[in-house]
Amino acid sequence: MRYITYNELKKISEIMKKIYLLLPIIAGIMFGSTGIFVRTLTENGVDSATLLFLRFSIAILYIAIAIFLTDKSLLKINKEDIPLFVLCGLCILGLNLCYNSSINTVPLSLAAILLSTAPVFVLVLEYFLFKEKITSIKVLCVI
């Protein structure tokens, strides 16, 4: 097995520093094009569960490659954290299933706007469920 040397990692880091500003733009483009792909594939008979399985599988592949190339210690988890990971995974799955359904029932722009209101709901729910304070920093972040 070949490990990345310090110099190679340093070169990768320098490249990432140069393109880090492009990454949010690329992510936005990919997010914005999700609706087009979901609608097209759904019209051609692919269901939401299959779409999510493919999407998550591709994402896991890229993330796994990135972890193996950079820091394998990121794969180590505490047993106490497993229920939290499962809960987060189920929430993300539910969110994406709902988003895919909304893409097929309402205009794409409305689906995107509704999804972007999620932080507001999180802010309100954390206040009622976990009794956390709504701070000015949290409100600023939501805006």
Side-chain angles (χ1 to χ4, degrees):
M1 174 181 282
R2 180 182 178 281
Y3 293 100
I4 293 179
T5 65
Y6 176 76
N7 288 334
E8 290 172 331
L9 191 58
K10 191 172 178 182
K11 287 178 186 177
I12 292 170
S13 177
E14 290 171 8
I15 292 170
M16 289 303 292
K17 285 179 183 177
K18 292 178 183 176
I19 64 167
Y20 78 97
L21 290 174
L22 290 176
L23 295 178
I25 295 168
I26 293 169
I29 291 169
M30 294 175 80
F31 172 76
S33 63
T34 299
I36 298 166
F37 290 111
V38 169
R39 270 206 181 151
T40 303
L41 292 170
T42 303
E43 289 172 358
N44 289 312
V46 180
D47 64 333
S48 287
T50 304
L51 285 173
L52 288 179
F53 176 77
L54 292 172
R55 191 165 133 199
F56 291 162
S57 297
I58 293 168
I60 288 170
L61 179 67
Y62 282 112
I63 290 170
I65 290 170
I67 288 173
F68 282 120
L69 292 177
T70 57
D71 187 6
K72 291 180 185 175
S73 69
L74 294 173
L75 295 174
K76 295 178 183 175
I77 60 171
N78 295 328
K79 289 182 181 180
E80 301 86 37
D81 294 334
I82 291 175
L84 180 62
F85 290 145
V86 170
L87 179 64
C88 288
L90 290 173
C91 288
I92 291 171
L93 178 67
L95 173 96
N96 281 285
L97 282 171
C98 291
Y99 183 59
N100 285 359
S101 296
S102 68
I103 285 172
N104 292 315
T105 56
V106 299
L108 293 176
S109 58
L110 180 59
I113 289 171
L114 289 173
L115 181 63
S116 67
T117 62
V120 175
F121 291 110
V122 169
L123 189 65
V124 172
L125 287 173
E126 78 176 3
Y127 174 76
F128 289 110
L129 295 176
F130 303 114
K131 309 293 186 228
E132 291 191 20
K133 293 180 181 179
I134 298 177
T135 64
S136 57
I137 293 174
K138 291 179 183 178
V139 171
L140 184 64
C141 290
V142 168
I143 294 173

